[in-house]
Amino acid sequence: MKPDIKFVTPQEAVKVIKSNDHIHLSSVASAPRILIDAMVERGRNKEFTNVHIHHLHTEGPAPYAAPELEGVFQLDSFFVGSNVRKVTQSGYADYIPVFLSETQRLYRAGVLPCNVAMIQVSPVDKHGYVSLGTSVDATLAAVECAETVIAVVNPHVPRSFGDAMIHASMIDYFCEDDTPLEEARFAVPNEVETAIGKHCAALIEDGACLQMGIGSIPNAVLAQLTGHKNLGIHTEMFADGVLPLVESGVINGMNKTTDKGKMVSTFLMGSQKVYDFIDDNPGVMMMDVGYTNDPYVIARNPKVTAINSALQVDLTGQVCADSLGTTFYSGVGGQIDFIYGASMSKGGKAIIAMPSVTNKGISKIAPVLNPGAGVVTTRAHIHYFVTEYGAVDLYGKSLQERAKLIIGVAHPDHREALEKAAFERFGPHYQYIKMNA
């Protein structure tokens, strides 16, 4: 049944927000901009205090995190995106460390309350359904658990399928907007990223099921896969890089045993081409993050190949992916969900890929992680490690063997210092370690 929908202004809708409430915002391109602006206006007028904001990565401005609104809003994000990085690092906003797979559980298990969910959806169809479009992730859980749900109906939101489809009766207030969704664009891969892409592509077998994180390295990998066959997608997100491979038939999902022939994701971050691609596309399933990022669901498909990046790796294979020392840069995200899931998949491969040095020439491979750096992927979880200088398999290798392999793909300018650090750490026997790989 198609419900009788009545629209209100954003200003009227956000009147439900009261002091001490917890607000969930839909993620990435689907951040409900007109509701955010109306909520912040109330905050600036001192109409409430201590309102907690929760979301994953969002594109566009985040005015609720401004230092001058301290005491009015408190941002406790599930991932530190670029738009809130500075305020998080300075302490005006905060971060909740959580596996991406468990962000939905924070609401469903009652760990966090959800008083108001503010979301953006497609227009209501003839059956009374709307779509969450580009952002299912933890947003579906927030909608299910919230005391009040406010939805911005926007014709630019793609009508995606899977868990994205919800009945309009789940929504309490409707507002209208006709603003195009925020787009994310990634730079063309440089020489280093292209080299990394080639090394990763060499590890990807025909029939593999792919997961890739955010950034230029995933796009560099995808650009090297034009000669592959029957690849599948089960991921937390994808962007423009997959589209040429879908069009050419390289990505068709025919080797998947779970969701065969379907591309599975939980959120999207890309250009308008990506949003157009998922609109009314039954070949794409936008699913709850508790499904996409469940390691045991991931492992059901064969040859799952997960490619994720890092900020720093030490000589034993510990991976820091969320912070620069004590300074938080991003978040735990879904890296360990997919590293573990890929490791359990039959024929699966878990890959950590990163440039060997920073833009300033500092080695990202270190004798030990910087003080305060967080270990996202442990030395027990890491399998393949890739830089522009090659790929090495660390699984089943001893600490000293790992050090030899990792140093072998470090930047040549830093190998001597790393060898010296390894010798000092492991003792004189280290110099006799010989590797066949």
Side-chain angles (χ1 to χ4, degrees):
M1 177 184 294
K2 188 171 182 178
D4 182 24
I5 294 175
K6 295 181 179 179
F7 289 90
V8 299
T9 66
Q11 291 73 23
E12 290 175 304
V14 299
K15 286 180 180 178
V16 301
I17 299 173
K18 58 187 183 300
S19 294
N20 304 311
D21 271 356
H22 287 249
I23 313 297
H24 177 85
L25 303 179
S26 51
S27 309
V28 196
S30 290
R33 187 62 45 207
I34 61 172
L35 294 178
I36 291 171
D37 291 343
M39 174 184 70
V40 170
E41 183 181 1
R42 284 196 67 205
R44 293 188 187 281
N45 292 334
K46 308 297 184 184
E47 295 181 33
F48 47 62
T49 60
N50 196 40
V51 169
H52 294 258
I53 308 295
H54 306 292
H55 57 66
L56 282 78
H57 170 79
T58 60
E59 291 289 299
Y64 44 81
E68 61 267 23
L69 291 176
E70 185 178 20
V72 177
F73 296 108
Q74 171 61 43
L75 172 61
D76 297 317
S77 66
F78 303 148
F79 189 88
V80 183
S82 59
N83 59 344
V84 297
R85 190 167 292 143
K86 288 184 178 180
V87 289
T88 302
Q89 292 171 352
S90 61
Y92 288 103
D94 211 343
Y95 160 64
I96 298 175
V98 60
F99 295 125
L100 189 58
S101 60
E102 296 186 4
T103 53
Q104 49 79 30
R105 187 172 179 270
L106 294 177
Y107 293 131
R108 289 180 172 135
V111 176
L112 286 178
C114 186
N115 303 103
V116 182
M118 302 204 307
I119 65 177
Q120 191 159 209
V121 300
S122 67
V124 184
D125 66 18
K126 63 182 180 180
H127 302 292
Y129 283 84
V130 297
S131 176
L132 295 171
T134 64
S135 172
V136 179
D137 44 71
T139 296
L140 179 60
V143 169
E144 293 171 354
C145 299
E147 296 170 1
T148 304
V149 179
I150 308 172
V152 176
V153 177
N154 188 334
H156 295 281
V157 173
R159 187 171 176 266
S160 62
F161 298 127
D163 290 338
M165 298 298 290
I166 63 173
H167 199 267
S169 60
M170 299 178 71
I171 298 167
D172 299 292
Y173 296 96
F174 295 85
C175 304
E176 290 182 289
D177 191 19
D178 193 25
T179 304
L181 301 186
E182 295 277 352
E183 296 183 70
R185 300 186 183 277
F186 303 102
V188 175
N190 59 30
E191 184 177 346
V192 169
E193 292 159 349
T194 298
I196 293 170
K198 290 179 179 179
H199 293 309
C200 289
L203 294 172
I204 297 172
E205 302 176 35
D206 287 344
C209 183
L210 303 181
Q211 175 267 335
M212 300 190 181
I214 296 172
S216 53
I217 288 178
N219 285 340
V221 176
L222 291 164
Q224 304 299 321
L225 299 179
T226 55
H228 280 62
K229 298 177 182 178
N230 299 326
L231 299 180
I233 297 290
H234 182 111
T235 186
E236 62 196 33
M237 64 82 62
F238 65 82
D240 294 62
V242 304
L243 301 186
L245 297 177
V246 175
E247 293 167 0
S248 66
V250 170
I251 292 176
N252 57 30
M254 288 299 103
N255 198 48
K256 294 177 70 175
T257 55
T258 298
D259 303 318
K260 190 178 185 70
K262 305 288 187 180
M263 296 174 62
V264 175
S265 186
T266 194
F267 69 89
L268 299 176
M269 192 167 78
S271 73
Q272 186 62 43
K273 290 182 180 179
V274 177
Y275 310 151
D276 292 340
F277 171 72
I278 70 166
D279 185 46
D280 269 327
N281 187 344
V284 178
M285 296 170 58
M286 296 297 295
M287 301 298 288
D288 188 291
V289 73
Y291 178 81
T292 61
N293 284 55
D294 182 334
Y296 296 96
V297 172
I298 294 165
R300 292 177 193 166
N301 280 307
K303 297 185 179 180
V304 173
T305 304
I307 302 175
N308 289 274
S309 195
L311 297 172
Q312 191 178 49
V313 173
D314 76 4
L315 293 181
T316 70
Q318 292 190 115
V319 178
C320 174
D322 63 350
S323 63
L324 299 168
T326 58
T327 302
F328 277 90
Y329 187 82
S330 55
V332 172
Q335 182 171 121
I336 200 66
D337 296 333
F338 277 93
I339 291 288
Y340 190 42
S343 300
M344 293 191 296
S345 163
K346 184 177 181 180
K349 295 177 181 177
I351 301 170
I352 295 293
M354 72 175 193
S356 63
V357 295
T358 68
N359 292 334
K360 296 181 179 179
I362 299 170
S363 180
K364 297 179 71 170
I365 296 171
V368 295
L369 298 180
N370 291 343
V375 176
V376 172
T377 293
T378 74
R379 57 172 72 98
H381 285 101
I382 194 170
H383 285 210
Y384 289 92
F385 176 55
V386 177
T387 73
E388 69 270 31
Y389 294 101
V392 292
D393 186 0
L394 305 179
Y395 190 61
K397 304 297 193 297
S398 71
L399 295 175
Q400 295 184 46
E401 289 172 332
R402 285 167 175 240
K404 284 283 186 186
L405 289 170
I406 291 171
I407 292 170
V409 294
H411 193 285
D413 291 350
H414 297 282
R415 290 178 189 174
E416 183 177 349
L418 290 169
E419 285 283 6
K420 180 180 179 182
F423 182 85
E424 292 174 350
R425 178 170 186 167
F426 297 117
H429 176 68
Y430 172 75
Q431 64 184 314
Y432 300 110
I433 294 292
K434 296 184 183 299
M435 300 303 304
N436 295 320

